[in-house]
Amino acid sequence: MQDGTDRLRRKGRTIAFVPTMGYLHEGHLSLIREGEKHGDHVVLSIFVNPTQFGPEEDLDAYPRSIENDLALAEKEGVDTVFLPNEKDLYPERYETYVSQETLPNHLCGLNRPIHFRGVATVVTKLFNIVKPHVAVFGQKDYQQLLVIKQMVRDLNFGIEIIGAPTLRESDGLAMSSRNANLPAHLRPSARSLSQSMHHAQDLLHRGETDAHVIIQETSDYISSHPETDIDYVSLCDPNTLVDVDSILPQTLMALAVKVGGVRLIDSMILTQ
């Protein structure tokens, strides 16, 4: 992979990179299409990264379908697919990790303390291997996008980071590989995440600016649906992820909820 991208760079090709954990869906395909706008050689990686999963999390249950992924990548015109295995990226006696001081101490990082260390580490390694000019990430994983942008600034990577909009199913559910693990009868419960954010925006338009009131109404609405277990409902500064007491001109609403044991996340920028 490194030799191949070195050759591409010597030829003056612009490399656009889309890192994924596979089980591709339309959301991933939109990232590939965004990459095609910014580069003339698109590299897609597929790797379920073990270092971002805690011991009680769903590493083994994470959906995988490599044959389908490769077919979709070919159909979308991906130029190169990079398929490392765990021993490629984490050989024996591996001990180096990338961590950050503040951004991981919010939202998902509160209950997943090793998650963003694993994300930052694997993305650093992928950047060093693929050597892209541009990398594309989805805005659905808003905190991850901030972490990667901060890492690129702090460590002087010469890479432009593109945040692509969240794609949604026809019923409003944010597209995610984990949606494949949702039982059909819990689909309305999963849909409550996006519905609750639209309700929060309506509250704001009606003049409610107290973050605690909006969080309580959002939590009550989600909890009224079967088999929902709220990890967090947060209203925070979209740049620092620090919680706010009163709504800013632009405020990030971020949610993490287990629905029937499947952990879903979603987010939206609320505007006054």
Side-chain angles (χ1 to χ4, degrees):
M1 187 72 248
Q2 286 178 319
D3 288 345
T5 50
D6 281 342
R7 287 194 296 272
L8 289 168
R9 280 178 165 267
R10 285 195 295 270
K11 293 176 181 178
R13 304 289 294 277
T14 301
I15 301 167
F17 180 40
V18 181
T20 78
M21 294 208 299
Y23 209 78
L24 302 184
H25 51 70
E26 187 62 31
H28 294 113
L29 303 187
S30 73
L31 304 183
I32 293 169
R33 293 166 195 149
E34 186 67 27
E36 290 171 342
K37 298 176 185 177
H38 298 274
D40 48 32
H41 190 101
V42 176
V43 178
L44 173 81
S45 68
I46 300 173
F47 178 64
V48 181
N49 176 39
T51 65
Q52 67 191 66
F53 289 82
E56 303 300 321
E57 295 179 4
D58 61 345
L59 173 61
D60 293 335
Y62 196 87
R64 296 163 170 85
S65 180
I66 192 63
E67 294 82 4
N68 187 63
D69 289 348
L70 293 174
L72 287 172
E74 183 175 15
K75 184 177 179 182
E76 286 297 322
V78 170
D79 298 288
T80 302
V81 179
F82 179 44
L83 293 172
N85 61 41
E86 185 174 345
K87 289 182 179 179
D88 291 329
L89 294 187
Y90 301 108
E92 186 178 354
R93 296 178 56 238
Y94 185 88
E95 60 179 66
T96 302
Y97 293 87
V98 179
S99 61
Q100 290 178 346
E101 293 295 319
T102 59
L103 283 174
N105 299 331
H106 306 278
L107 305 181
C108 289
L110 293 174
N111 289 330
R112 305 185 72 190
I114 69 168
H115 176 69
F116 288 109
R117 185 187 77 157
V119 168
T121 299
V122 76
V123 172
T124 294
K125 290 176 69 66
L126 291 171
F127 282 172
N128 286 333
I129 294 167
V130 175
K131 304 178 184 178
H133 299 86
V134 176
V136 185
F137 295 84
Q139 292 177 0
K140 181 181 78 71
D141 297 300
Y142 190 94
Q143 186 175 15
Q144 173 180 273
L145 180 61
L146 283 192
V147 164
I148 291 166
K149 285 183 173 181
Q150 184 72 42
M151 180 185 78
V152 165
R153 286 195 299 270
D154 290 349
L155 299 183
N156 305 107
F157 282 104
I159 301 171
E160 180 184 2
I161 303 301
I162 305 292
T166 301
L167 259 65
R168 298 185 178 276
E169 308 282 0
S170 58
D171 60 2
L173 180 63
M175 290 184 178
S176 169
S177 298
R178 286 188 171 94
N179 292 352
N181 293 335
L182 275 173
H185 73 282
L186 291 180
R187 189 78 180 199
S189 295
R191 198 161 56 236
S192 70
L193 276 71
S194 61
Q195 290 172 336
S196 67
M197 292 191 297
H198 287 294
H199 178 60
Q201 181 68 75
D202 289 340
L203 287 173
L204 184 56
H205 285 164
R206 295 203 298 266
E208 181 59 72
T209 59
D210 189 317
H212 304 285
V213 171
I214 296 175
I215 288 172
Q216 188 61 58
E217 289 211 23
T218 300
S219 301
D220 290 345
Y221 179 75
I222 294 172
S223 297
S224 70
H225 290 74
E227 297 187 49
T228 53
D229 180 15
I230 295 174
D231 182 352
Y232 62 79
V233 175
S234 177
L235 288 167
C236 57
D237 184 295
N239 298 309
T240 66
L241 305 182
V242 173
D243 289 340
V244 299
D245 294 318
S246 184
I247 301 298
L248 306 171
Q250 287 198 329
T251 301
L252 175 70
M253 183 169 218
L255 315 172
V257 181
K258 285 185 178 179
V259 178
V262 179
R263 190 176 189 274
L264 304 177
I265 62 172
D266 208 342
S267 62
M268 177 186 291
I269 297 291
L270 303 182
T271 57
Q272 291 193 21

